[in-house]
Amino acid sequence: MIRYSLECAHDHVFEQWFDNMADYDAKAETKGLSCPECGDTQVHKTLMAPNIGGPKAPVQPAAPCGAPACASGLCPSMMG
Ligand SMILES: [Zn+2]
């Protein structure tokens, strides 16, 4: 399971759990995501910043390929 922080077109931020990144992609593509406050389906991921204010928090770039390995930082597309 993976938790994403999502934001709708009206700046409502909420969190939702997904099985994996592919699960998010599938739901996003089919407009299966909606804002709990206004029902907007124009929802996108926000940048999660769990350690705001910490020194040099590690950057977690969005995995471009959606492969399961990305969840463990072993995305083949990032290993050059
Ligand atoms: Zn909203």
Side-chain angles (χ1 to χ4, degrees):
M1 295 289 282
I2 183 169
R3 187 178 62 181
Y4 282 136
S5 184
L6 307 175
E7 182 178 8
C8 83
H10 301 281
D11 297 330
H12 300 138
V13 178
F14 56 99
E15 292 181 338
Q16 188 159 327
W17 286 94
F18 299 94
D19 292 339
N20 49 47
M21 279 182 273
D23 183 33
Y24 165 82
D25 289 339
K27 288 188 167 109
E29 280 187 22
T30 59
K31 306 289 189 202
L33 302 172
S34 61
C35 171
E37 288 192 51
C38 68
D40 192 352
T41 55
Q42 296 288 322
V43 171
H44 60 269
K45 275 186 287 189
T46 67
L47 293 177
M48 286 186 282
N51 294 310
I52 294 175
K56 289 187 180 181
V59 176
Q60 292 263 343
C65 68
C70 289
S72 58
L74 297 173
C75 178
S77 70
M78 295 178 182
M79 296 178 75

Coordinates of all heavy atoms in Angstrom, one line a residue:
M1 N 0.8 -1.2 0.0 CA 0.0 0.0 0.0 C 0.9 1.3 0.0 O 2.0 1.3 0.6 CB -0.9 0.0 1.2 CG -1.9 -1.1 1.3 SD -3.2 -0.9 0.0 CE -4.3 0.3 0.9
I2 N 0.4 2.2 -0.7 CA 1.1 3.5 -0.8 C 0.2 4.6 -0.6 O -0.9 4.6 -1.1 CB 1.9 3.6 -2.1 CG1 2.7 4.8 -2.1 CG2 1.0 3.5 -3.3 CD1 3.7 4.8 -3.3
R3 N 0.6 5.6 0.1 CA -0.3 6.8 0.4 C 0.2 8.0 -0.4 O 1.3 8.3 -0.3 CB -0.3 7.1 1.9 CG -1.4 8.1 2.2 CD -1.5 8.4 3.7 NE -0.2 9.0 4.2 CZ 0.0 9.2 5.5 NH1 -0.9 9.0 6.4 NH2 1.2 9.7 5.9
Y4 N -0.8 8.6 -1.1 CA -0.4 9.8 -1.8 C -1.2 10.9 -1.3 O -2.4 10.8 -0.8 CB -0.8 9.6 -3.3 CG 0.2 8.8 -4.1 CD1 -0.3 7.9 -5.0 CD2 1.5 9.0 -4.0 CE1 0.6 7.1 -5.8 CE2 2.4 8.3 -4.7 CZ 1.9 7.3 -5.6 OH 2.8 6.6 -6.4
S5 N -0.6 12.1 -1.3 CA -1.3 13.3 -1.0 C -1.8 13.9 -2.3 O -1.0 14.1 -3.2 CB -0.3 14.3 -0.3 OG -1.0 15.5 0.1
L6 N -3.1 14.1 -2.4 CA -3.7 14.6 -3.6 C -4.3 16.0 -3.5 O -4.6 16.4 -2.4 CB -4.8 13.6 -4.1 CG -4.3 12.1 -4.1 CD1 -5.6 11.2 -4.4 CD2 -3.3 11.9 -5.1
E7 N -4.4 16.6 -4.6 CA -4.9 18.0 -4.6 C -5.9 18.1 -5.8 O -5.5 17.7 -6.9 CB -3.8 19.0 -4.7 CG -4.3 20.4 -4.6 CD -3.1 21.4 -4.7 OE1 -1.9 21.0 -4.9 OE2 -3.3 22.6 -4.5
C8 N -7.0 18.7 -5.5 CA -8.0 18.9 -6.6 C -7.7 20.3 -7.2 O -6.9 21.1 -6.8 CB -9.4 18.7 -6.1 SG -10.1 20.2 -5.4
A9 N -8.5 20.6 -8.3 CA -8.3 21.8 -9.0 C -8.8 23.0 -8.2 O -8.5 24.2 -8.5 CB -9.1 21.8 -10.3
H10 N -9.4 22.8 -7.0 CA -9.8 23.8 -6.1 C -9.0 23.9 -4.9 O -9.4 24.4 -3.8 CB -11.3 23.6 -5.7 CG -12.2 23.6 -6.9 ND1 -12.7 24.7 -7.6 CD2 -12.8 22.6 -7.6 CE1 -13.4 24.4 -8.6 NE2 -13.5 23.1 -8.6
D11 N -7.7 23.4 -5.0 CA -6.8 23.5 -3.9 C -7.2 22.8 -2.7 O -6.7 23.1 -1.6 CB -6.5 25.0 -3.6 CG -5.9 25.7 -4.8 OD1 -5.2 25.0 -5.6 OD2 -6.1 26.9 -4.9
H12 N -8.0 21.8 -2.8 CA -8.3 20.9 -1.6 C -7.3 19.8 -1.6 O -7.1 19.1 -2.6 CB -9.7 20.3 -1.7 CG -10.8 21.3 -1.8 ND1 -11.9 21.2 -2.6 CD2 -11.0 22.5 -1.1 CE1 -12.7 22.3 -2.4 NE2 -12.2 23.1 -1.5
V13 N -6.6 19.6 -0.5 CA -5.6 18.6 -0.3 C -6.1 17.5 0.5 O -6.7 17.7 1.6 CB -4.3 19.2 0.3 CG1 -3.3 18.1 0.4 CG2 -3.7 20.3 -0.7
F14 N -6.0 16.3 0.1 CA -6.4 15.1 0.9 C -5.5 13.9 0.6 O -4.7 14.0 -0.4 CB -7.9 14.7 0.5 CG -8.1 14.5 -1.0 CD1 -8.2 13.2 -1.4 CD2 -8.3 15.5 -1.8 CE1 -8.4 12.9 -2.8 CE2 -8.5 15.3 -3.2 CZ -8.5 14.0 -3.7
E15 N -5.6 12.9 1.4 CA -4.7 11.8 1.2 C -5.6 10.5 0.9 O -6.7 10.4 1.4 CB -3.9 11.5 2.5 CG -2.9 12.6 2.8 CD -2.1 12.3 4.1 OE1 -2.6 11.6 4.9 OE2 -1.0 12.9 4.2
Q16 N -5.0 9.7 0.1 CA -5.7 8.5 -0.3 C -4.7 7.3 -0.4 O -3.6 7.5 -0.9 CB -6.4 8.7 -1.6 CG -7.4 7.5 -1.9 CD -8.5 7.9 -2.9 OE1 -8.9 9.1 -2.9 NE2 -8.9 7.0 -3.8
W17 N -5.1 6.1 0.0 CA -4.3 5.0 -0.2 C -4.5 4.2 -1.5 O -5.6 4.2 -2.0 CB -4.6 4.0 1.0 CG -4.0 4.4 2.3 CD1 -4.7 5.1 3.2 CD2 -2.7 4.2 2.8 NE1 -3.9 5.4 4.3 CE2 -2.7 4.8 4.1 CE3 -1.6 3.6 2.3 CZ2 -1.5 4.8 4.9 CZ3 -0.4 3.5 3.1 CH2 -0.4 4.1 4.4
F18 N -3.4 3.7 -2.0 CA -3.5 2.9 -3.3 C -2.6 1.7 -3.1 O -1.7 1.6 -2.3 CB -2.9 3.7 -4.4 CG -3.7 5.0 -4.7 CD1 -3.2 6.2 -4.1 CD2 -4.8 5.0 -5.5 CE1 -3.9 7.4 -4.3 CE2 -5.5 6.2 -5.7 CZ -5.1 7.4 -5.1
D19 N -3.0 0.6 -3.9 CA -2.2 -0.6 -3.8 C -0.8 -0.4 -4.2 O 0.1 -0.9 -3.6 CB -2.9 -1.7 -4.7 CG -4.2 -2.1 -4.2 OD1 -4.5 -1.9 -3.0 OD2 -5.0 -2.6 -5.0
N20 N -0.6 0.4 -5.2 CA 0.7 0.8 -5.7 C 0.6 1.9 -6.7 O -0.5 2.5 -6.9 CB 1.3 -0.5 -6.4 CG 0.4 -1.1 -7.4 OD1 -0.2 -0.4 -8.2 ND2 0.2 -2.4 -7.4
M21 N 1.7 2.3 -7.3 CA 1.6 3.5 -8.2 C 0.8 3.2 -9.4 O 0.1 4.1 -10.0 CB 3.0 3.8 -8.6 CG 3.7 4.7 -7.6 SD 5.4 5.2 -8.1 CE 6.3 3.8 -7.5
A22 N 0.8 1.9 -9.9 CA 0.0 1.6 -11.1 C -1.5 1.7 -10.7 O -2.3 2.1 -11.6 CB 0.3 0.2 -11.5
D23 N -1.8 1.4 -9.5 CA -3.2 1.6 -9.0 C -3.6 3.0 -9.1 O -4.7 3.4 -9.6 CB -3.4 1.0 -7.6 CG -4.8 1.1 -7.1 OD1 -5.7 0.9 -7.9 OD2 -5.0 1.3 -5.9
Y24 N -2.7 3.9 -8.7 CA -3.0 5.3 -8.8 C -3.2 5.7 -10.2 O -4.2 6.4 -10.6 CB -1.9 6.1 -8.1 CG -2.0 7.6 -8.5 CD1 -2.8 8.5 -7.9 CD2 -1.3 8.1 -9.6 CE1 -2.9 9.8 -8.3 CE2 -1.4 9.4 -10.0 CZ -2.2 10.3 -9.3 OH -2.3 11.6 -9.7
D25 N -2.3 5.3 -11.1 CA -2.3 5.7 -12.5 C -3.6 5.3 -13.1 O -4.3 6.0 -13.9 CB -1.1 5.1 -13.2 CG 0.2 5.7 -12.9 OD1 0.1 6.9 -12.4 OD2 1.2 5.1 -13.1
A26 N -4.0 4.0 -12.8 CA -5.3 3.5 -13.4 C -6.5 4.3 -13.0 O -7.3 4.7 -13.8 CB -5.5 2.0 -13.0
K27 N -6.5 4.7 -11.7 CA -7.7 5.4 -11.2 C -7.6 6.9 -11.7 O -8.7 7.4 -12.0 CB -7.6 5.4 -9.6 CG -8.0 4.1 -9.1 CD -8.2 4.2 -7.5 CE -8.9 2.9 -7.0 NZ -8.0 2.1 -6.2
A28 N -6.4 7.4 -11.8 CA -6.3 8.8 -12.3 C -6.8 8.8 -13.8 O -7.4 9.8 -14.2 CB -4.9 9.3 -12.2
E29 N -6.4 7.8 -14.6 CA -6.7 7.8 -16.0 C -8.2 7.7 -16.2 O -8.8 8.2 -17.2 CB -6.0 6.7 -16.7 CG -4.6 7.0 -17.0 CD -4.0 5.9 -17.9 OE1 -4.7 5.1 -18.5 OE2 -2.7 5.7 -17.9
T30 N -8.9 6.9 -15.4 CA -10.3 6.7 -15.6 C -11.2 7.7 -14.7 O -12.3 7.4 -14.6 CB -10.7 5.3 -15.1 OG1 -10.3 5.1 -13.8 CG2 -9.9 4.2 -16.0
K31 N -10.6 8.8 -14.3 CA -11.3 9.7 -13.4 C -11.9 9.0 -12.2 O -13.0 9.4 -11.7 CB -12.4 10.4 -14.2 CG -11.9 11.1 -15.5 CD -11.0 12.3 -15.2 CE -10.7 13.0 -16.5 NZ -9.5 13.9 -16.5
G32 N -11.2 8.0 -11.7 CA -11.7 7.3 -10.6 C -11.4 8.0 -9.3 O -11.7 7.5 -8.2
L33 N -10.7 9.1 -9.3 CA -10.4 9.8 -8.1 C -11.2 11.1 -8.1 O -11.4 11.8 -9.1 CB -8.9 10.3 -8.2 CG -7.9 9.1 -8.3 CD1 -6.5 9.7 -8.6 CD2 -7.9 8.2 -7.1
S34 N -11.7 11.4 -6.9 CA -12.5 12.6 -6.7 C -12.2 13.2 -5.4 O -11.9 12.5 -4.4 CB -14.0 12.3 -6.9 OG -14.4 11.4 -5.9
C35 N -12.3 14.5 -5.3 CA -12.1 15.3 -4.1 C -13.2 15.0 -3.1 O -14.4 15.1 -3.5 CB -12.0 16.8 -4.4 SG -11.9 17.8 -3.0
P36 N -12.9 14.7 -1.9 CA -14.0 14.4 -0.9 C -14.7 15.7 -0.5 O -15.8 15.6 0.0 CB -13.2 13.8 0.3 CG -11.8 14.3 0.1 CD -11.6 14.4 -1.4
E37 N -14.2 16.8 -0.8 CA -14.8 18.1 -0.4 C -15.8 18.6 -1.5 O -16.9 19.1 -1.2 CB -13.8 19.1 -0.1 CG -13.0 18.9 1.2 CD -12.2 20.1 1.6 OE1 -12.8 21.2 1.7 OE2 -11.0 19.9 1.9
C38 N -15.3 18.5 -2.7 CA -16.1 19.1 -3.8 C -16.5 18.2 -4.9 O -17.2 18.5 -5.8 CB -15.4 20.4 -4.3 SG -13.9 20.0 -5.3
G39 N -15.9 17.0 -4.9 CA -16.2 16.0 -5.9 C -15.5 16.2 -7.2 O -15.7 15.5 -8.2
D40 N -14.6 17.1 -7.2 CA -13.8 17.4 -8.4 C -13.0 16.2 -8.8 O -12.3 15.5 -8.0 CB -12.9 18.6 -8.2 CG -12.3 19.1 -9.5 OD1 -12.4 18.5 -10.5 OD2 -11.7 20.2 -9.4
T41 N -13.0 15.8 -10.1 CA -12.2 14.7 -10.6 C -10.8 15.2 -11.2 O -10.1 14.4 -11.7 CB -12.9 13.8 -11.6 OG1 -13.4 14.7 -12.7 CG2 -14.1 13.2 -10.9
Q42 N -10.6 16.5 -11.2 CA -9.3 17.0 -11.7 C -8.3 16.9 -10.5 O -8.0 17.9 -9.9 CB -9.5 18.5 -12.2 CG -10.4 18.6 -13.3 CD -9.8 18.0 -14.6 OE1 -8.6 18.2 -14.8 NE2 -10.6 17.4 -15.4
V43 N -7.9 15.7 -10.2 CA -7.1 15.5 -9.1 C -5.6 15.1 -9.5 O -5.5 14.3 -10.4 CB -7.7 14.4 -8.2 CG1 -6.7 13.9 -7.1 CG2 -9.0 14.8 -7.6
H44 N -4.7 15.7 -8.8 CA -3.3 15.3 -9.1 C -2.5 15.1 -7.8 O -2.9 15.6 -6.8 CB -2.6 16.4 -10.0 CG -2.6 17.7 -9.4 ND1 -3.6 18.7 -9.5 CD2 -1.7 18.3 -8.5 CE1 -3.3 19.8 -8.9 NE2 -2.1 19.6 -8.2
K45 N -1.4 14.5 -7.9 CA -0.6 14.2 -6.8 C 0.1 15.5 -6.4 O 0.5 16.3 -7.2 CB 0.5 13.2 -7.1 CG 0.0 11.8 -6.9 CD 1.2 10.8 -7.1 CE 1.6 10.7 -8.6 NZ 2.6 9.6 -8.8
T46 N 0.3 15.7 -5.1 CA 1.1 16.8 -4.6 C 2.4 16.3 -4.2 O 2.6 15.1 -4.0 CB 0.5 17.5 -3.4 OG1 0.5 16.6 -2.3 CG2 -1.0 17.9 -3.7
L47 N 3.4 17.1 -4.1 CA 4.7 16.7 -3.6 C 4.6 16.5 -2.1 O 4.3 17.4 -1.3 CB 5.8 17.8 -3.9 CG 6.0 18.0 -5.4 CD1 7.1 19.1 -5.6 CD2 6.6 16.7 -6.0
M48 N 4.9 15.3 -1.7 CA 4.9 15.0 -0.3 C 6.1 15.4 0.4 O 7.2 15.2 -0.1 CB 4.7 13.4 0.0 CG 3.3 13.0 -0.4 SD 3.0 11.3 0.0 CE 3.8 10.4 -1.3
A49 N 6.0 16.2 1.5 CA 7.1 16.7 2.2 C 7.0 16.3 3.7 O 6.6 17.1 4.5 CB 7.2 18.2 2.0
P50 N 7.4 15.1 4.0 CA 7.1 14.6 5.4 C 8.0 15.3 6.4 O 7.7 15.3 7.6 CB 7.4 13.1 5.3 CG 8.4 13.0 4.1 CD 7.9 14.1 3.2
N51 N 9.1 15.8 6.0 CA 10.1 16.4 7.0 C 10.3 17.9 6.6 O 11.5 18.3 6.4 CB 11.4 15.7 6.9 CG 11.2 14.3 7.5 OD1 10.6 14.1 8.5 ND2 11.7 13.3 6.7
I52 N 9.3 18.7 6.6 CA 9.4 20.1 6.3 C 10.3 20.7 7.3 O 10.2 20.6 8.5 CB 8.1 20.8 6.3 CG1 7.2 20.2 5.1 CG2 8.2 22.3 6.1 CD1 5.8 20.7 5.1
G53 N 11.3 21.5 6.9 CA 12.2 22.2 7.8 C 13.5 21.4 8.1 O 14.4 22.0 8.6
G54 N 13.5 20.1 7.7 CA 14.7 19.3 8.0 C 15.8 19.7 7.0 O 15.5 20.2 5.9
P55 N 17.0 19.4 7.4 CA 18.1 19.7 6.4 C 18.2 18.7 5.3 O 18.3 17.5 5.5 CB 19.3 19.6 7.3 CG 18.9 18.7 8.4 CD 17.4 18.8 8.6
K56 N 18.1 19.2 4.1 CA 18.3 18.4 2.9 C 17.5 17.2 2.9 O 18.0 16.1 2.9 CB 19.8 18.0 2.8 CG 20.7 19.2 2.4 CD 22.1 18.8 2.1 CE 23.0 20.0 1.7 NZ 24.4 19.5 1.4
A57 N 16.2 17.3 3.0 CA 15.3 16.2 2.9 C 15.5 15.5 1.6 O 15.6 16.2 0.5 CB 13.8 16.6 3.1
P58 N 15.6 14.2 1.5 CA 15.8 13.5 0.3 C 14.6 13.7 -0.7 O 13.5 13.7 -0.3 CB 15.9 12.0 0.7 CG 15.2 11.9 2.0 CD 15.4 13.3 2.7
V59 N 15.0 14.0 -1.9 CA 14.0 14.2 -2.9 C 13.5 12.9 -3.5 O 14.3 12.0 -3.8 CB 14.5 15.1 -4.1 CG1 13.5 15.2 -5.2 CG2 15.0 16.4 -3.5
Q60 N 12.2 12.7 -3.5 CA 11.6 11.5 -4.1 C 10.9 11.9 -5.4 O 9.7 12.2 -5.4 CB 10.6 10.9 -3.1 CG 11.2 10.4 -1.8 CD 11.5 8.9 -1.9 OE1 10.9 8.2 -2.7 NE2 12.3 8.4 -1.0
P61 N 11.6 11.8 -6.5 CA 11.0 12.2 -7.8 C 9.9 11.2 -8.1 O 10.0 10.0 -7.8 CB 12.2 12.1 -8.8 CG 13.2 11.2 -8.1 CD 13.0 11.3 -6.6
A62 N 8.9 11.6 -8.8 CA 7.9 10.7 -9.2 C 8.4 9.7 -10.2 O 9.2 10.1 -11.1 CB 6.8 11.5 -9.9
A63 N 8.1 8.5 -10.0 CA 8.7 7.4 -10.9 C 8.0 7.5 -12.2 O 6.7 7.5 -12.3 CB 8.4 6.1 -10.3
P64 N 8.7 7.6 -13.3 CA 8.1 7.8 -14.6 C 7.5 6.5 -15.2 O 6.7 6.6 -16.1 CB 9.2 8.3 -15.5 CG 10.5 7.8 -14.8 CD 10.2 7.6 -13.3
C65 N 8.0 5.4 -14.8 CA 7.7 4.2 -15.6 C 6.6 3.4 -14.9 O 5.9 2.5 -15.6 CB 8.9 3.3 -15.7 SG 9.5 2.5 -14.2
G66 N 6.3 3.6 -13.6 CA 5.2 2.9 -13.0 C 5.5 1.5 -12.6 O 4.6 0.7 -12.2
A67 N 6.7 1.0 -12.9 CA 7.1 -0.3 -12.5 C 7.1 -0.5 -11.0 O 7.5 0.4 -10.3 CB 8.5 -0.7 -13.1
P68 N 6.8 -1.7 -10.6 CA 6.8 -2.0 -9.1 C 8.1 -1.7 -8.5 O 8.2 -1.3 -7.3 CB 6.4 -3.4 -9.0 CG 5.7 -3.7 -10.3 CD 6.3 -2.8 -11.3
A69 N 9.2 -1.9 -9.2 CA 10.5 -1.7 -8.6 C 10.7 -0.2 -8.2 O 11.6 0.0 -7.3 CB 11.6 -2.1 -9.6
C70 N 10.0 0.7 -8.8 CA 10.2 2.1 -8.5 C 9.9 2.3 -7.0 O 10.5 3.2 -6.4 CB 9.2 2.9 -9.3 SG 9.7 3.0 -11.0
A71 N 9.0 1.6 -6.4 CA 8.6 1.8 -5.0 C 9.8 1.5 -4.1 O 9.8 2.1 -3.0 CB 7.5 0.9 -4.6
S72 N 10.8 0.7 -4.5 CA 11.9 0.5 -3.7 C 13.1 1.2 -4.1 O 14.2 1.0 -3.7 CB 12.2 -1.0 -3.6 OG 12.4 -1.5 -5.0
G73 N 12.9 2.2 -5.0 CA 14.0 3.0 -5.4 C 14.9 2.3 -6.5 O 16.1 2.8 -6.7
L74 N 14.4 1.3 -7.1 CA 15.2 0.6 -8.0 C 14.7 0.7 -9.4 O 14.7 -0.2 -10.2 CB 15.3 -0.9 -7.6 CG 16.0 -1.2 -6.3 CD1 15.8 -2.6 -5.9 CD2 17.4 -0.8 -6.3
C75 N 14.1 1.8 -9.7 CA 13.5 2.0 -11.0 C 14.6 1.8 -12.1 O 15.6 2.5 -12.1 CB 12.9 3.4 -11.2 SG 12.3 3.7 -12.8
P76 N 14.4 0.9 -13.0 CA 15.4 0.7 -14.0 C 15.7 1.9 -14.9 O 16.7 2.0 -15.4 CB 14.8 -0.5 -14.9 CG 13.5 -0.7 -14.4 CD 13.3 0.0 -13.1
S77 N 14.7 2.7 -15.0 CA 14.8 3.9 -15.9 C 15.7 4.9 -15.2 O 16.1 5.9 -15.9 CB 13.5 4.5 -16.3 OG 12.9 5.1 -15.1
M78 N 16.0 4.8 -14.0 CA 16.9 5.7 -13.3 C 18.3 5.2 -13.0 O 19.1 5.9 -12.4 CB 16.2 6.1 -11.9 CG 14.9 6.8 -12.0 SD 14.2 7.1 -10.4 CE 12.7 7.9 -10.8
M79 N 18.5 4.0 -13.5 CA 19.8 3.4 -13.2 C 20.8 3.6 -14.4 O 21.8 2.9 -14.5 CB 19.7 2.0 -12.9 CG 18.9 1.8 -11.6 SD 18.6 0.1 -11.1 CE 20.2 -0.4 -10.5
G80 N 20.4 4.4 -15.4 CA 21.3 4.7 -16.5 C 21.7 3.6 -17.3 O 22.7 3.7 -18.0
Ligands
ZN1 ZN -12.0 19.8 -4.1

